[in-house]
Amino acid sequence: MQATATTSPWRGQRMQVVLSTVIANLLLAGLGILFALPFFWMLSASLKVEADIWIYPPKWIPDSPLWSNYPTALGLMKFPLLLYNTVLITALSMAGTLLSCTWIVYGFARFRFPGRDFFFVLLLATMMLPAQVTMIPLFILFRELNWLNTFLPLIVPAFFGNAFFIFLLRQFFMTIPTELDDAAKIDGCSYIGIWWRIMLPLVKPALATVAIFAFIGNWNDFLYPLIYLNDESKFTLTLGLATFRGVYTTQWALLMAASVVVLLPCLIVFFLAQRQFVEGITFAGLQG
């Protein structure tokens, strides 16, 4: 009787843990399906004719999938050319973001100089400035530099840092002991060597997080390419998607097919680097 009395509360607690875990997983699965519904609808619409897209109730699986929508859509939007432009802009912007932000963060996290905290707070204050406020001054600046209708306005600003990425990386850099810097200096390593050989390899999760954010931000950017690019030969994929929308009609099936193809790289990158992404956000948040 005594053994039964002692094991009964333990079984009750175990059942509560199992029940709460099941309920939490069901809620997460439901939310995941809810958030994935727009993607499933887009995928379904990309395989239909125009007349079947807006029927109610919606038919998620078409009777005869129209796979020809994909080659037709990619051919109309000149996919290879737009893909090259987008990859070029995204790759150079990511490289500029990683190099500039890590170098700036190394200065804020490792060097003590007068006004360091003031300048860091001033840098963070720029995050409260809406992008619409600087849009016209930047356009005038790039016009005076004769950079309009080139990729330079979309690439060069990345080499001057990003306030959010700098804040995220600084929180991660602060977790690295300064004794490593001292040991490297004793061995004759320069500041650039410490930054390149010691700091960067130790902050790979944070770099992966910044790289994912930079990739998705540049890959999905629509507004700034729309402002600075005029020639269709220099358009990005997001501008190519806009060509399916006319003044009076929109080719929805072709637009959905092209959107699925454009979205796939973002999904692939996120799932492949999901572990590093979560680690970077978690460690930076704990340090903050």
Side-chain angles (χ1 to χ4, degrees):
M1 294 294 294
Q2 185 176 1
T4 304
T6 55
T7 56
S8 180
W10 169 252
R11 289 182 179 178
Q13 293 178 0
R14 186 176 180 182
M15 288 298 297
Q16 290 180 358
V17 172
V18 172
L19 183 61
S20 61
T21 302
V22 171
I23 294 176
N25 290 333
L26 289 177
L27 289 176
L28 292 176
L31 289 175
I33 295 174
L34 180 63
F35 283 111
L37 279 179
F39 175 76
F40 291 140
W41 183 89
M42 180 175 64
L43 183 62
S44 175
S46 67
L47 299 173
K48 298 177 180 178
V49 296
E50 295 286 337
D52 293 341
I53 294 178
W54 305 109
I55 60 174
Y56 185 83
K59 192 172 185 179
W60 292 95
I61 302 177
D63 296 329
S64 56
L66 199 61
W67 296 102
S68 60
N69 284 339
Y70 283 88
T72 302
L74 299 183
L76 289 176
M77 69 181 299
K78 301 177 181 179
F79 182 77
L81 176 61
L82 302 189
L83 178 64
Y84 171 78
N85 295 339
T86 305
V87 170
L88 178 64
I89 294 173
T90 302
L92 293 178
S93 298
M94 287 177 58
T97 299
L98 292 174
L99 289 174
S100 61
C101 290
T102 53
W103 187 243
I104 295 171
V105 167
Y106 178 60
F108 275 120
R110 283 311 201 238
F111 294 95
R112 296 186 179 275
F113 53 88
R116 183 188 66 171
D117 295 336
F118 169 78
F119 288 115
F120 184 69
V121 172
L122 185 64
L123 174 68
L124 296 183
T126 61
M127 297 172 58
M128 296 184 291
L129 194 65
Q132 292 80 359
V133 174
T134 60
M135 193 176 297
I136 295 178
L138 283 176
F139 181 85
I140 296 174
L141 173 63
F142 294 141
R143 185 189 62 186
E144 295 298 324
L145 295 173
N146 293 323
W147 284 6
L148 297 184
N149 200 30
T150 67
F151 295 153
L152 293 177
L154 305 174
I155 296 174
V156 173
F159 287 84
F160 290 88
N162 180 285
F164 173 72
F165 295 151
I166 292 173
F167 169 74
L168 183 67
L169 289 172
R170 182 180 180 270
Q171 303 306 104
F172 210 95
F173 269 59
M174 297 293 288
T175 63
I176 301 176
T178 57
E179 288 77 9
L180 294 176
D181 298 23
D182 298 335
K185 292 176 184 177
I186 294 174
D187 292 337
C189 191
S190 63
Y191 289 115
I192 297 179
I194 296 173
W195 166 72
W196 181 258
R197 298 179 181 179
I198 297 177
M199 304 299 293
L200 294 187
L202 292 176
V203 296
K204 286 182 179 179
L207 294 180
T209 303
V210 172
I212 293 173
F213 276 126
F215 174 83
I216 295 177
N218 287 281
W219 187 271
N220 294 329
D221 189 15
F222 173 77
L223 181 60
Y224 287 104
L226 179 65
I227 294 174
Y228 299 126
L229 302 179
N230 299 324
D231 295 341
E232 292 186 3
S233 61
K234 298 178 181 178
F235 278 6
T236 60
L237 289 173
T238 52
L239 294 181
L241 293 177
T243 59
F244 290 104
R245 301 197 62 179
V247 178
Y248 301 105
T249 59
T250 299
Q251 298 172 296
W252 290 107
L254 300 181
L255 176 60
M256 295 299 105
S259 299
V260 170
V261 177
V262 173
L263 181 62
L264 283 179
C266 294
L267 295 177
I268 294 173
V269 168
F270 179 78
F271 283 115
L272 290 180
Q274 185 177 14
R275 185 170 63 87
Q276 290 82 359
F277 176 77
V278 174
E279 287 182 1
I281 293 293
T282 302
F283 283 118
L286 290 176
Q287 177 63 22

